[in-house]
Amino acid sequence: MQDIKLSIENCLGFVSEETIKGFEAQVKSSAATLEAGTGLGNDFLGWLHLPSSITPEFLDDIQETANYLRENCEVVVVAGIGGSYLGAKAVIDSLSNSFEWLQPNKPVMVYAGNNIGEDYLAELCEFLKGKKFGIINISKSGTTTETALAFRLLKTQLEEQAGKEAAQKLIVAVTDKAKGALRTLATQEGYKTYVIPDNVGGRFSVLTPVGLLPIAVAGLDVRQLVAGAQRMEQVCGVDTPFMENPAAVYAATRNALYQNGKKIEILVNYQPKLHFFAEWWKQLYGESEGKDGKGIFNAAVDFTTDLHSMGQWIQEGERTIFETVISINTPNKTLVIPSDEANLDGLNFLAGKRVDEVNKMAELGTMLAHVDGGVPNMKIEVPELNAYYIGQLIYFFEKACGISGYLLEVNPFNQPGVEAYKKNMFALLEKPGYEKETEAIKARLK
Ligand code: PA5
C-alpha cells in the first residue's frame, strides 16, 4: 500500500520554500498543543486518536446493524445535517458506482433532515410509499430542527407502513449518550442506538457511527476506511519530520498563502464522485476557521465540468485564490476511446487512448494555465479511489485542520456563528421560550 502524497511545487512561485519552512516551529507547537490537549476547544479532541482507538469488535457491531438494515430495507434514509450527514454522504458517493444505485439486494441510500424544502420532503415521502425502508437518525444534540422535522415525518410514515413494532427495529438512532430529545425518544421507543462521543464535534465525526453506520449500510468497507485513517494518524504524527508530514506542510502552505493575500481556497477534483467529499471538506475548514473576523473562504469545483463555468473566474478574476487539487492516479475502470473511420468529430487523434489520459492532460493543462494566471496550486495525489485512501484523506484533512486553526489563533472546534439564524428562526416561529426574541424581531420587521 502507498500513501497519499502532497506536492507544493506549484505554490513556490508565490510563497518561497523558506517562508513555508519558516512555519515549522509554529506548526510543531500547534501539533504539540493538540497532543497535550491544552489549546482552544480542547474538550473536542476525541478525533485526534480516534482511528487507532477503533476496535474490530466495534466494527463488527456496526456491520451487524448494517447487515440487518441491508437485509430488511429497499431504501435506507440517513437523516442528519452538517457534520451529522456530510461525512457519510462524502464517502458513500466517492466509493459507489455512479449508476448502480438502484439494484436488487442493496438498499438505495437517500438523505433527509439536511434541508427544510417542502417539495423535497414531500417527494421523499412519495418515493418511500409502499417501499420497505429504514431510518438512521443522526443528531448529536438531538434537537436540530431540520433533522427532527424530517424524522417526525419519516417515523410516522414508517409506523403506518410497517407497523409500530417492525418500525422500531428499522430505526437506528445515533446521538449523545444521555442528552437531547433524540436520546429520550430512542430510549422510550427501544431503538438500537449508537453514541457520538462527547469529545468529537460533528464535522470531525465521520469515523464514529455517524459516518461508519451509513457507510457500512451502503455496502462499503469500513475496515479499510478505518485502516487508511489509522495509517495517516501515524504518518501525520508529531514525530514525523516537518517536510515529510503532509498535514503539517498543507497547514503551513495554506497559511503562508493566506498571509500573502490568497483568501480563498478552492478544492478541485477531476472525478465527479468526489463532489460531496468537497462538501465535507468545506464544512470541516469553513466551520473550523471562519471566525473572529478571520479564515480562508472554502470553495470547491468539479473539473472539467466547472472549467466551463467558474473556469473563467479562476483564470482571470481577482487574484485572491489558490487551489488544492485532489488527483486520483489510477481509475478503477478502463475505457479506451474507439477509432472511427469517418472521423467526423475529429477525435481520431485520441483513438486508442484511455479516457483518463485525456482527463490527466486536462488536469495538467489547467494547472499550468492557472499557475500562469496567478493561482498557486497544491496537489494531493491519491493512488486510487478506494476506502483505504479515502480514510487517509479524511484523517489528513482533519489533522491539518486542527493545526491550521491553531496557526490562525482561532478555536477550530466550536461554531458559535451557526446559532444566529436558529435564534431568529425560533423567534419568528414563536417557539416556546423565545417570547422576548419574538417581540424584538417583530418590532424590527414592522
Ligand atoms: O459540525 C457541527 O457541529 C454541525 O454541523 C452539526 O453537526 C450540525 O449542526 C448537526 O448537529 P446535530 O448533530 O446536533 O443535529
PDB file of all heavy atoms in Angstrom, residues 113 115-116 121 144-155:
ATOM      1  N   GLY A 113     -33.440  15.527   6.318  1.00  0.00           N
ATOM      2  CA  GLY A 113     -33.060  16.252   7.527  1.00  0.00           C
ATOM      3  C   GLY A 113     -31.919  17.218   7.298  1.00  0.00           C
ATOM      4  O   GLY A 113     -31.378  17.778   8.249  1.00  0.00           O
ATOM      5  N   ASN A 115     -32.301  19.750   4.971  1.00  0.00           N
ATOM      6  CA  ASN A 115     -32.904  20.949   4.393  1.00  0.00           C
ATOM      7  C   ASN A 115     -34.360  20.994   4.881  1.00  0.00           C
ATOM      8  O   ASN A 115     -34.831  20.034   5.498  1.00  0.00           O
ATOM      9  CB  ASN A 115     -32.843  20.909   2.854  1.00  0.00           C
ATOM     10  CG  ASN A 115     -33.707  19.803   2.271  1.00  0.00           C
ATOM     11  OD1 ASN A 115     -34.941  19.880   2.263  1.00  0.00           O
ATOM     12  ND2 ASN A 115     -33.082  18.735   1.784  1.00  0.00           N
ATOM     13  N   ILE A 116     -35.033  22.112   4.582  1.00  0.00           N
ATOM     14  CA  ILE A 116     -36.441  22.197   5.004  1.00  0.00           C
ATOM     15  C   ILE A 116     -37.313  22.428   3.761  1.00  0.00           C
ATOM     16  O   ILE A 116     -38.346  23.088   3.813  1.00  0.00           O
ATOM     17  CB  ILE A 116     -36.669  23.321   6.057  1.00  0.00           C
ATOM     18  CG1 ILE A 116     -35.453  23.455   6.993  1.00  0.00           C
ATOM     19  CG2 ILE A 116     -37.914  23.023   6.904  1.00  0.00           C
ATOM     20  CD1 ILE A 116     -35.551  24.605   7.994  1.00  0.00           C
ATOM     21  N   LEU A 121     -39.133  17.035   0.838  1.00  0.00           N
ATOM     22  CA  LEU A 121     -39.662  16.086   1.831  1.00  0.00           C
ATOM     23  C   LEU A 121     -40.914  15.388   1.326  1.00  0.00           C
ATOM     24  O   LEU A 121     -41.096  14.180   1.531  1.00  0.00           O
ATOM     25  CB  LEU A 121     -39.930  16.811   3.149  1.00  0.00           C
ATOM     26  CG  LEU A 121     -38.657  17.134   3.937  1.00  0.00           C
ATOM     27  CD1 LEU A 121     -38.929  18.142   5.033  1.00  0.00           C
ATOM     28  CD2 LEU A 121     -38.034  15.860   4.521  1.00  0.00           C
ATOM     29  N   THR A 144     -31.817  19.245  16.613  1.00  0.00           N
ATOM     30  CA  THR A 144     -31.692  20.054  15.390  1.00  0.00           C
ATOM     31  C   THR A 144     -33.003  20.019  14.600  1.00  0.00           C
ATOM     32  O   THR A 144     -33.530  18.947  14.276  1.00  0.00           O
ATOM     33  CB  THR A 144     -30.518  19.527  14.537  1.00  0.00           C
ATOM     34  OG1 THR A 144     -29.334  19.619  15.325  1.00  0.00           O
ATOM     35  CG2 THR A 144     -30.337  20.314  13.259  1.00  0.00           C
ATOM     36  N   THR A 145     -33.526  21.212  14.294  1.00  0.00           N
ATOM     37  CA  THR A 145     -34.878  21.328  13.715  1.00  0.00           C
ATOM     38  C   THR A 145     -35.011  20.557  12.399  1.00  0.00           C
ATOM     39  O   THR A 145     -35.966  19.800  12.209  1.00  0.00           O
ATOM     40  CB  THR A 145     -35.199  22.814  13.463  1.00  0.00           C
ATOM     41  OG1 THR A 145     -34.900  23.534  14.652  1.00  0.00           O
ATOM     42  CG2 THR A 145     -36.653  23.020  13.076  1.00  0.00           C
ATOM     43  N   GLU A 146     -34.062  20.774  11.496  1.00  0.00           N
ATOM     44  CA  GLU A 146     -34.169  20.148  10.169  1.00  0.00           C
ATOM     45  C   GLU A 146     -34.308  18.623  10.314  1.00  0.00           C
ATOM     46  O   GLU A 146     -35.144  17.986   9.669  1.00  0.00           O
ATOM     47  CB  GLU A 146     -32.926  20.463   9.320  1.00  0.00           C
ATOM     48  CG  GLU A 146     -32.816  21.895   8.819  1.00  0.00           C
ATOM     49  CD  GLU A 146     -32.107  22.834   9.795  1.00  0.00           C
ATOM     50  OE1 GLU A 146     -32.059  22.525  11.015  1.00  0.00           O
ATOM     51  OE2 GLU A 146     -31.628  23.890   9.339  1.00  0.00           O
ATOM     52  N   THR A 147     -33.446  18.044  11.159  1.00  0.00           N
ATOM     53  CA  THR A 147     -33.408  16.586  11.305  1.00  0.00           C
ATOM     54  C   THR A 147     -34.627  16.080  12.062  1.00  0.00           C
ATOM     55  O   THR A 147     -35.257  15.087  11.664  1.00  0.00           O
ATOM     56  CB  THR A 147     -32.104  16.180  12.039  1.00  0.00           C
ATOM     57  OG1 THR A 147     -31.009  16.777  11.355  1.00  0.00           O
ATOM     58  CG2 THR A 147     -31.924  14.684  12.064  1.00  0.00           C
ATOM     59  N   ALA A 148     -34.981  16.775  13.134  1.00  0.00           N
ATOM     60  CA  ALA A 148     -36.120  16.344  13.949  1.00  0.00           C
ATOM     61  C   ALA A 148     -37.414  16.391  13.131  1.00  0.00           C
ATOM     62  O   ALA A 148     -38.255  15.481  13.212  1.00  0.00           O
ATOM     63  CB  ALA A 148     -36.233  17.220  15.189  1.00  0.00           C
ATOM     64  N   LEU A 149     -37.529  17.441  12.316  1.00  0.00           N
ATOM     65  CA  LEU A 149     -38.739  17.592  11.500  1.00  0.00           C
ATOM     66  C   LEU A 149     -38.865  16.451  10.476  1.00  0.00           C
ATOM     67  O   LEU A 149     -39.913  15.822  10.340  1.00  0.00           O
ATOM     68  CB  LEU A 149     -38.654  18.956  10.812  1.00  0.00           C
ATOM     69  CG  LEU A 149     -39.873  19.558  10.143  1.00  0.00           C
ATOM     70  CD1 LEU A 149     -39.690  21.076  10.070  1.00  0.00           C
ATOM     71  CD2 LEU A 149     -40.105  19.029   8.762  1.00  0.00           C
ATOM     72  N   ALA A 150     -37.757  16.183   9.798  1.00  0.00           N
ATOM     73  CA  ALA A 150     -37.774  15.094   8.809  1.00  0.00           C
ATOM     74  C   ALA A 150     -38.068  13.769   9.505  1.00  0.00           C
ATOM     75  O   ALA A 150     -38.843  12.940   9.006  1.00  0.00           O
ATOM     76  CB  ALA A 150     -36.438  15.017   8.078  1.00  0.00           C
ATOM     77  N   PHE A 151     -37.453  13.564  10.674  1.00  0.00           N
ATOM     78  CA  PHE A 151     -37.639  12.290  11.371  1.00  0.00           C
ATOM     79  C   PHE A 151     -39.093  12.117  11.803  1.00  0.00           C
ATOM     80  O   PHE A 151     -39.634  11.006  11.724  1.00  0.00           O
ATOM     81  CB  PHE A 151     -36.699  12.190  12.579  1.00  0.00           C
ATOM     82  CG  PHE A 151     -36.821  10.870  13.285  1.00  0.00           C
ATOM     83  CD1 PHE A 151     -36.499   9.684  12.636  1.00  0.00           C
ATOM     84  CD2 PHE A 151     -37.280  10.801  14.594  1.00  0.00           C
ATOM     85  CE1 PHE A 151     -36.627   8.451  13.273  1.00  0.00           C
ATOM     86  CE2 PHE A 151     -37.406   9.579  15.236  1.00  0.00           C
ATOM     87  CZ  PHE A 151     -37.085   8.402  14.574  1.00  0.00           C
ATOM     88  N   ARG A 152     -39.730  13.195  12.228  1.00  0.00           N
ATOM     89  CA  ARG A 152     -41.136  13.060  12.629  1.00  0.00           C
ATOM     90  C   ARG A 152     -41.979  12.546  11.449  1.00  0.00           C
ATOM     91  O   ARG A 152     -42.791  11.640  11.588  1.00  0.00           O
ATOM     92  CB  ARG A 152     -41.681  14.405  13.124  1.00  0.00           C
ATOM     93  CG  ARG A 152     -43.135  14.307  13.521  1.00  0.00           C
ATOM     94  CD  ARG A 152     -43.686  15.624  13.979  1.00  0.00           C
ATOM     95  NE  ARG A 152     -43.283  15.925  15.358  1.00  0.00           N
ATOM     96  CZ  ARG A 152     -44.061  16.616  16.206  1.00  0.00           C
ATOM     97  NH1 ARG A 152     -45.243  17.060  15.824  1.00  0.00           N
ATOM     98  NH2 ARG A 152     -43.651  16.860  17.425  1.00  0.00           N
ATOM     99  N   LEU A 153     -41.741  13.132  10.276  1.00  0.00           N
ATOM    100  CA  LEU A 153     -42.494  12.708   9.082  1.00  0.00           C
ATOM    101  C   LEU A 153     -42.184  11.255   8.725  1.00  0.00           C
ATOM    102  O   LEU A 153     -43.082  10.448   8.442  1.00  0.00           O
ATOM    103  CB  LEU A 153     -42.129  13.592   7.886  1.00  0.00           C
ATOM    104  CG  LEU A 153     -42.586  15.051   7.944  1.00  0.00           C
ATOM    105  CD1 LEU A 153     -41.850  15.881   6.905  1.00  0.00           C
ATOM    106  CD2 LEU A 153     -44.095  15.140   7.718  1.00  0.00           C
ATOM    107  N   LEU A 154     -40.890  10.915   8.746  1.00  0.00           N
ATOM    108  CA  LEU A 154     -40.459   9.576   8.317  1.00  0.00           C
ATOM    109  C   LEU A 154     -40.930   8.497   9.284  1.00  0.00           C
ATOM    110  O   LEU A 154     -41.374   7.417   8.871  1.00  0.00           O
ATOM    111  CB  LEU A 154     -38.937   9.531   8.194  1.00  0.00           C
ATOM    112  CG  LEU A 154     -38.335  10.396   7.077  1.00  0.00           C
ATOM    113  CD1 LEU A 154     -36.835  10.581   7.269  1.00  0.00           C
ATOM    114  CD2 LEU A 154     -38.624   9.781   5.703  1.00  0.00           C
ATOM    115  N   LYS A 155     -40.827   8.788  10.573  1.00  0.00           N
ATOM    116  CA  LYS A 155     -41.234   7.829  11.605  1.00  0.00           C
ATOM    117  C   LYS A 155     -42.738   7.547  11.477  1.00  0.00           C
ATOM    118  O   LYS A 155     -43.170   6.382  11.499  1.00  0.00           O
ATOM    119  CB  LYS A 155     -40.900   8.430  12.972  1.00  0.00           C
ATOM    120  CG  LYS A 155     -41.385   7.649  14.184  1.00  0.00           C
ATOM    121  CD  LYS A 155     -40.972   8.412  15.447  1.00  0.00           C
ATOM    122  CE  LYS A 155     -41.329   7.692  16.725  1.00  0.00           C
ATOM    123  NZ  LYS A 155     -42.743   7.718  17.074  1.00  0.00           N
TER     124      LYS A 155
END
